[in-house]
Amino acid sequence: MTTLRLDLAYDGSGFRGYAFQEGLHTIQGDLEAALKTVLGHPVETAVAGRTDAGVHARGQVVSLQVDDAPDLERLARSLNGIVGPEIAVNAITPADDGFHARFSARWRRYRYTMSTGIAPDPLARGFEWHVGSRLDVGLMEAAAAEFIGELDFSAFCRSVEGSSNVRRVEESRWEAESDRLHFWIRANAFCHQMVRSIVGLCYDVGRGFTPAVSVHEIIDSADRSRVATVAPPHGLVLWEVGY
């Protein structure tokens, strides 16, 4: 068996998330259908991060195994002809034996973008959350710093019975660019709605709704009801995955 690594980008606007769901339009559904068409048989794929409905990706990684190594350049062209333009297969490369897109990953990095301009940018509105108000970026930066470390993120996730919400965050910061704010976060893994909930809390801090000094207390509470705002999905991009 040959293990292949696929590097993907996609516009998640018209999809119900990455993971296959019967009867729904998903990234995995389209990709595996295209692979079946090109290779002539069904294949099972693994993914680095199962993005939610409406979330985009710039550096998603998928792995799969095939019996015989195909012409990779031709395979990429054929797949792009089927799944494009919403999905782009940017590279297909042979991977080491045992490589698994999910379990071999050491970290994932996301970027969330807000726009504070007077009106939404028509050319970017599908990829940023237009909040249309001035925010205290200094307070938002102070809030973001509270998330660095190995913490229980139960206050920021949809919990799954029997699963831990402890994650190790290595980067959590805001970056200002004209009338846009980018939130960067890198962690070993993420639980459901974690990034969007963190962004929502930082937004509430920036607009004076939640005191920055209470962020640590909210984290310690592990109480999902303490986070009032969940940022919409269209501002979120899976930026890259580290191996």
Side-chain angles (χ1 to χ4, degrees):
M1 300 291 286
T2 298
T3 302
L4 299 179
R5 167 177 168 163
L6 280 64
D7 289 82
L8 305 182
Y10 49 81
D11 175 355
S13 304
F15 295 90
R16 294 297 298 272
Y18 179 86
F20 177 81
Q21 300 177 68
E22 188 69 44
L24 297 178
H25 191 204
T26 65
I27 304 292
Q28 184 179 16
D30 279 15
L31 179 63
E32 291 190 357
L35 284 163
K36 180 180 179 181
T37 297
V38 176
L39 296 176
H41 57 81
V43 295
E44 184 177 337
T45 62
V47 69
R50 295 173 57 172
T51 52
D52 294 338
V55 175
H56 316 292
R58 174 183 177 271
Q60 179 69 279
V61 179
V62 169
S63 60
L64 67 147
Q65 290 189 317
V66 293
D67 291 327
D68 301 306
D71 181 325
L72 300 186
E73 186 175 339
R74 182 178 179 182
L75 177 59
R77 286 199 307 269
S78 298
L79 291 175
N80 281 320
I82 299 173
V83 301
E86 294 86 0
I87 304 171
V89 180
N90 289 322
I92 304 179
T93 52
D96 294 336
D97 290 341
F99 175 80
H100 190 282
R102 177 186 175 191
F103 298 123
S104 300
R106 293 183 295 110
W107 50 262
R108 289 90 170 156
R109 191 180 193 216
Y110 281 86
R111 188 185 81 171
Y112 194 98
T113 300
M114 285 182 182
S115 168
T116 58
I118 191 171
D121 180 346
L123 302 183
R125 62 188 178 88
F127 302 92
E128 59 188 24
W129 180 22
H130 179 252
V131 296
S133 61
R134 290 191 174 276
L135 302 172
D136 189 322
V137 181
L139 290 178
M140 294 171 70
E141 289 174 342
E146 295 288 345
F147 297 104
I148 293 177
E150 188 165 310
L151 305 169
D152 183 343
F153 284 90
S154 293
F156 300 86
C157 299
R158 286 185 179 177
S159 294
V160 177
E161 187 175 352
S163 297
S164 170
N165 289 325
V166 174
R167 300 293 188 271
R168 186 180 68 255
V169 174
E170 301 164 345
E171 176 187 24
S172 176
R173 64 183 178 87
W174 286 92
E175 175 185 67
E177 180 189 11
S178 185
D179 60 356
R180 287 182 172 87
L181 297 174
H182 302 296
F183 176 65
W184 294 97
I185 185 166
R186 189 178 79 180
N188 64 325
F190 293 87
C191 44
H192 190 216
Q193 290 193 345
M194 176 175 159
V195 181
R196 292 167 54 201
S197 298
I198 290 172
V199 170
L201 182 60
C202 287
Y203 169 65
D204 285 342
V205 168
R207 66 189 177 121
F209 184 82
T210 301
V213 294
S214 69
V215 173
H216 187 75
E217 177 191 341
I218 292 171
I219 295 171
D220 287 346
S221 75
D223 182 355
R224 188 74 180 93
S225 68
R226 295 289 301 274
V227 179
T229 303
V230 177
H234 65 277
L236 185 58
V237 179
L238 174 56
W239 202 257
E240 58 183 327
V241 181
Y243 290 94

